[in-house]
Amino acid sequence: DTAVSQTPKYLVTQMGNDKSIKCEQNLGHDTMYWYKQDSKKFLKIMFSYNNKELIINETVPNRFSPKSPDKAHLNLHINSLELGDSAVYFCASSQERSVQETQYFGPGTRLLVL
Amino acid sequence: GESVGLHLPTLSVQEGDNSIINCAYSNSASDYFIWYKQESGKGPQFIIDIRSNMDKRQGQRVTVLLNKTVKHLSLQIAATQPGDSAVYFCAEKWSGGSYIPTFGRGTSLIVHP
């Protein structure tokens, strides 16, 4: 069984479009995250949600809007896509917000903006 | 050998050799460190962690060494196998700050059969 799943795996779209990426975890975790990985493999946190509540919102354009309908889901909606948004987006989850908690990552969504 | 620069640092080894991947972390207050493995087309996967009150921790074929004096972390992989080929990330956390790990740059390990 997949612990953290994301859809779609690949997303190719034109500049200016709006798109969504979905994430689901079946681990019963309280905390979920979105990360962006650039072409140099650098991983940067974007958002963190705990029990459907936004906890961390790093410096991310407001074109990016996360939404957590329930504890097991954290979706990412992106408006007016730009070329620089091309990256791999990873969803992750952890049991709780503590230093020792391990994060479990999804397989990633490869976004290409043309 | 290892190469650094604008590209991802790369370590090439022969199957059966031991591999050592190094990481310099930035925050001297960090007290928890993790190594992740990211295979091609997949998300990062937890390998091993270590707290700052330890300087060595062993897992199955992997050992993490921590040198707080010079803010250095290393991951040793014994008897490296082709399946170990991946990008390896170190990450640091500080219990007095955010629970979000700060990831290092990543090192690409290539294991030649």
Side-chain angles (χ1 to χ4, degrees):
Chain A
D1 285 343
T2 304
V4 183
S5 59
Q6 294 178 230
T7 53
K9 185 166 184 179
Y10 298 96
L11 186 52
V12 182
T13 188
Q14 299 286 334
M15 256 175 42
N17 284 349
D18 303 339
K19 290 293 178 186
S20 291
I21 307 171
K22 294 186 177 182
C23 176
E24 177 182 1
Q25 54 95 2
N26 63 6
L27 297 166
H29 287 169
D30 288 339
T31 307
M32 296 185 72
Y33 313 79
W34 276 109
Y35 283 86
K36 180 180 179 180
Q37 187 173 49
D38 63 20
S39 58
K40 295 184 176 63
K41 298 287 189 182
F42 183 64
L43 265 167
K44 185 173 167 57
I45 184 72
M46 298 174 71
F47 302 102
S48 171
Y49 264 73
N50 183 255
N51 275 319
K52 302 195 298 174
E53 183 186 345
L54 179 64
I55 302 298
I56 286 178
N57 180 355
E58 292 292 318
T59 307
V60 175
N62 57 15
R63 298 181 294 104
F64 290 80
S65 52
K67 190 166 282 188
S68 182
D70 56 60
K71 211 171 71 165
H73 295 84
L74 181 62
N75 304 324
L76 183 65
H77 189 75
I78 315 170
N79 287 327
S80 303
L81 278 154
E82 300 178 358
L83 295 177
D85 297 333
S86 295
V88 182
Y89 292 84
F90 287 101
C91 177
S93 72
S94 64
Q95 177 59 47
E96 57 186 34
R97 294 180 292 152
S98 76
V99 166
Q100 293 110 323
E101 282 300 320
T102 299
Q103 291 186 319
Y104 293 83
F105 284 81
T109 295
R110 286 133 193 90
L111 172 65
L112 177 61
V113 182
L114 302 174
Chain B
E2 180 178 326
S3 63
V4 293
L6 294 178
H7 302 289
L8 200 63
T10 300
L11 178 64
S12 292
V13 300
Q14 289 295 127
E15 182 178 0
D17 287 352
N18 295 333
S19 302
I20 299 177
I21 300 170
N22 296 304
C23 174
Y25 63 92
S26 55
N27 185 358
S28 56
S30 291
D31 50 9
Y32 186 69
F33 304 90
I34 315 115
W35 279 101
Y36 286 90
K37 172 186 180 184
Q38 185 179 14
E39 295 175 84
S40 180
K42 297 184 179 179
Q45 181 182 16
F46 172 90
I47 303 173
I48 192 168
D49 57 6
I50 189 168
R51 295 187 194 210
S52 58
N53 61 355
M54 303 169 70
D55 52 24
K56 180 178 179 179
R57 189 164 187 220
Q58 288 185 289
Q60 189 178 15
R61 279 202 309 118
V62 295
T63 300
V64 56
L65 298 178
L66 175 63
N67 185 331
K68 294 183 288 293
T69 304
V70 295
K71 293 191 288 185
H72 184 267
L73 200 62
S74 69
L75 178 71
Q76 300 178 359
I77 305 174
T80 315
Q81 302 165 2
D84 295 327
S85 294
V87 176
Y88 289 81
F89 294 94
C90 67
E92 58 183 303
K93 291 187 187 182
W94 172 44
S95 55
S98 166
Y99 54 93
I100 306 289
T102 299
F103 284 83
R105 189 178 170 194
T107 296
S108 176
L109 175 65
I110 299 172
V111 183
H112 300 281

